[in-house]
Amino acid sequence: MMKVIIVGGVAAGMSAAAKLKRANKEAQITVYEKSRHVSFGACGLPYFVGNFFEDSQKMIARTVEQFNASGITVNIEHEVLNVDTDNKCITVKNLLTGETFTDTYDKLMIATGASAIIPPIKNVDLKHVYTLKSMEDGEALKHAMQNEALKRVAIVGAGFIGLEVVEAAKQYGKEVHVFQLNDRVLVDTFDKEITDLLEEELRAHDVHLHLSQTVTELVGDEAVTQIKTNDETFDVDIVVLTAGVRPNTSFLKGTGIEMLRNGALVIDHEGRTSIEDIYAAGDCASINHILKSEPAYIPLATVANKMGRIIGENLAGAHHTFNGSLASACLKVMNLEAGRTGLSEQEAINLGINYKTVFITDMNQTSYYPGQSKINVKLIYNADTKVILGGQIVGRKDAVQRVNVLATAIFAGLTTDQLAMLDLCYAPPFARTWDVLNIAGSVAK
Ligand code: FAD
């Protein structure tokens, strides 16, 4: 009987486990998970913190008991310490008893995710300094937000999670300060036309943006009371560190598994690492970027779930492949929706592509039906062929679903001319007869 061990029991790991069990009922599947939860949707954390919902258990898709009942052996509070790839053996520590033991596998899947990066700031271990990755992080941060005496929140890092925490903090009426190393928010994912609009929205909600600022030090006796940057000092009561994530792969050092520079395990289209019978997926691994045709680091739940499922099928003997990712991602910034897919303009520059862009502002729907608002579309496309390479949209309503249309268009290799004449739906509450995407396509010369 084939024995499969999966290390890490969230999006990638449990997608693979569930799929493998369905594909091969006989497979012996053991999951080792360091935390107390499996199948935990971290994407809900900002909204849990902001009290959009109260019960943290709603972020658990399937419980340990449900997995065990399906024939998958799940060991929570068990950390895998190392992998002996020659002898196909792992060392595991039971975090409850402290006991260490070994286990062997025929096939191994690494799905250990990523951890929040702690930037080099003095005194990050003061009280009321948080990260937001685990259920426990979310519970602790929510508890602090609910404390009315803690009025000022500093968010260090203006990426997706940092900006989602802004909304959470605003739900409690906090004074919010965002500190960002770069001169604009979301610098790695969106272009300036879009981030200008998002920054305007943040400022309109009295969010204090401190751009081009390096946070150097936190100050306080027991709890944090001040944050210092290279330029200034501000009084704060809560600090949230949202400076990105790093793959949890240090326990694999010395195994010889190929990694990207940040430690992400390099995988092929089937999810295989450079070592036979070892697979990997999710935030601990690379993924093929469809437009770059090279391994990229795209730590998103969408990618983790899909690659995890493909690996589940392949562990059962298939040779299914995942095309890869377009790095399609979206977020809500106060009352605005923003989404992106494919290449940003900066990525097109880095790849040396002869590209053009178009940026338009139009209306999301007809004027006479309530709810009309502006919507902004940026397209990046090949200057020679007009094939669409990237798209970013921001607006108050239906921006993100239109990004999904662009992701489909890019996947299918459509040109801007084809987008201009694409048969998109229309009714007054949803669009205009010529949807904003048709207009963007037709404006692209
Ligand atoms: P993880 O979810 O990180 O799970 C890995 C598991 O492995 C962890 O439970 C960990 O305890 C365990 N583990 C680690 N090392 C070991 C070890 N040595 N032994 C045993 N177990 C180990 N993505 C989106 O697509 N959309 C969103 O809106 C979105 N919002 C997010 C909001 C927040 C606040 C966060 C933190 C993430 C968000 N993400 C979002 C990203 C998404 O949550 C991740 O991409 C996804 O969880 C990755 O799944 P994973 O299985 O690879 O890793």
Side-chain angles (χ1 to χ4, degrees):
M1 191 194 309
M2 182 178 57
K3 194 172 164 193
V4 175
I5 290 181
I6 297 176
V7 190
V10 186
M14 295 326 276
S15 298
K19 191 71 199 174
L20 170 58
K21 196 68 200 172
R22 279 198 297 274
N24 178 358
K25 294 222 167 353
E26 302 304 315
Q28 186 188 328
I29 309 170
T30 305
V31 177
Y32 290 108
E33 165 55 51
K34 195 164 80 168
S35 76
R36 285 191 283 129
H37 314 281
V38 290
S39 241
F40 159 63
C43 313
L45 282 172
Y47 306 100
F48 170 68
V49 171
N51 213 26
F52 289 83
F53 63 99
E54 281 181 16
D55 181 3
S56 59
Q57 296 307 309
K58 288 197 170 154
M59 291 181 283
I60 304 283
R62 259 176 105 187
T63 62
V64 174
E65 294 70 29
Q66 286 169 323
F67 279 110
N68 284 335
S70 75
I72 297 166
T73 306
V74 177
N75 301 288
I76 54 168
E77 299 188 81
H78 279 68
E79 180 174 5
V80 173
L81 301 179
N82 60 56
V83 178
D84 175 350
T85 54
D86 292 334
N87 296 305
K88 292 192 155 185
C89 173
I90 63 169
T91 306
V92 188
K93 183 172 184 183
N94 179 332
L95 298 177
L96 282 175
T97 64
E99 174 210 4
T100 298
F101 60 94
T102 57
D103 197 359
T104 55
Y105 60 86
D106 296 315
K107 293 190 178 180
L108 177 69
M109 178 187 182
I110 311 290
T112 46
S115 296
I117 290 175
I118 309 294
I121 299 171
K122 270 193 216 155
N123 303 325
V124 281
D125 40 15
L126 284 171
K127 204 172 151 199
H128 297 153
V129 179
Y130 302 91
T131 53
L132 190 59
K133 188 74 184 66
S134 65
M135 175 92 92
E136 289 74 18
D137 290 343
E139 281 163 347
L141 179 57
K142 184 169 188 168
H143 189 67
M145 291 281 190
Q146 287 171 334
N147 183 342
E148 287 177 13
L150 305 176
K151 296 186 189 321
R152 290 158 302 197
V153 178
I155 294 163
V156 181
F160 280 70
I161 298 174
L163 296 188
E164 287 178 350
V165 173
V166 168
E167 189 182 3
K170 277 288 172 189
Q171 287 292 108
Y172 297 95
K174 307 283 186 198
E175 179 183 313
V176 180
H177 296 259
V178 177
F179 295 87
Q180 168 80 330
L181 207 59
N182 308 88
D183 61 357
R184 58 189 185 85
V185 302
L186 296 164
V187 69
D188 295 328
T189 39
F190 285 90
D191 292 328
K192 191 169 181 324
E193 296 92 330
I194 304 293
T195 57
D196 280 352
L197 295 167
L198 297 175
E199 287 169 10
E200 197 180 298
E201 175 76 358
L202 289 163
R203 291 193 176 104
H205 285 86
D206 294 325
V207 175
H208 305 271
L209 288 181
H210 306 275
L211 304 174
S212 305
Q213 293 284 315
T214 309
V215 174
T216 54
E217 186 176 348
L218 304 181
V219 181
D221 287 334
E222 193 195 339
V224 64
T225 54
Q226 286 186 320
I227 187 165
K228 285 189 175 183
T229 73
N230 44 336
D231 285 342
E232 289 175 282
T233 301
F234 300 89
D235 292 339
V236 292
D237 304 306
I238 295 175
V239 173
V240 192
L241 303 173
T242 51
V245 295
R246 181 176 293 128
N248 293 325
T249 55
S250 56
F251 73 109
L252 295 168
K253 290 236 164 75
T255 56
I257 300 186
E258 190 188 350
M259 299 183 190
L260 297 181
R261 271 180 44 189
N262 73 343
L265 307 176
V266 175
I267 57 168
D268 66 9
H269 285 61
E270 291 187 25
R272 295 178 298 201
T273 68
S274 58
I275 295 199
E276 205 176 341
D277 293 330
I278 302 186
Y279 293 72
D283 286 9
C284 67
S286 70
I287 198 77
N288 177 54
H289 190 298
I290 291 177
L291 296 178
K292 296 181 183 173
S293 295
E294 62 179 21
Y297 187 58
I298 304 171
L300 289 172
T302 44
V303 175
N305 277 284
K306 288 175 189 124
M307 195 72 231
R309 179 177 166 157
I310 297 261
I311 289 177
E313 291 164 353
N314 293 342
L315 285 168
H319 285 284
H320 294 167
T321 55
F322 179 46
N323 278 305
S325 169
L326 287 168
S328 306
C330 56
L331 82 163
K332 183 162 174 272
V333 176
M334 303 311 298
N335 296 328
L336 283 181
E337 300 178 5
R340 55 97 60 224
T341 183
L343 301 180
S344 65
E345 186 170 353
Q346 189 57 50
E347 285 175 304
I349 293 170
N350 295 346
L351 290 167
I353 294 172
N354 183 21
Y355 73 93
K356 280 186 179 174
T357 69
V358 65
F359 177 71
I360 64 156
T361 302
D362 195 49
M363 290 299 177
N364 68 322
Q365 60 173 66
T366 51
S367 58
Y368 48 79
Y369 188 87
Q372 192 191 45
S373 59
K374 282 185 184 161
I375 186 159
N376 307 273
V377 178
K378 178 168 179 173
L379 295 180
I380 297 108
Y381 56 99
N382 188 303
D384 303 318
T385 61
K386 298 183 94 177
V387 168
I388 305 164
L389 302 171
Q392 301 173 25
I393 308 187
V394 59
R396 297 202 180 269
K397 193 166 158 265
D398 299 336
V400 166
Q401 292 310 335
R402 285 181 168 101
V403 172
N404 283 333
V405 176
L406 287 182
T408 312
I410 294 171
F411 191 80
L414 298 194
T415 64
T416 51
D417 292 341
Q418 287 172 314
L419 182 68
M421 295 305 283
L422 195 63
D423 184 23
L424 300 172
C425 318
Y426 158 68
F430 307 109
R432 299 205 284 182
T433 37
W434 290 89
D435 186 76
V436 63
L437 291 182
N438 296 136
I439 309 276
S442 66
V443 169
K445 295 295 174 225

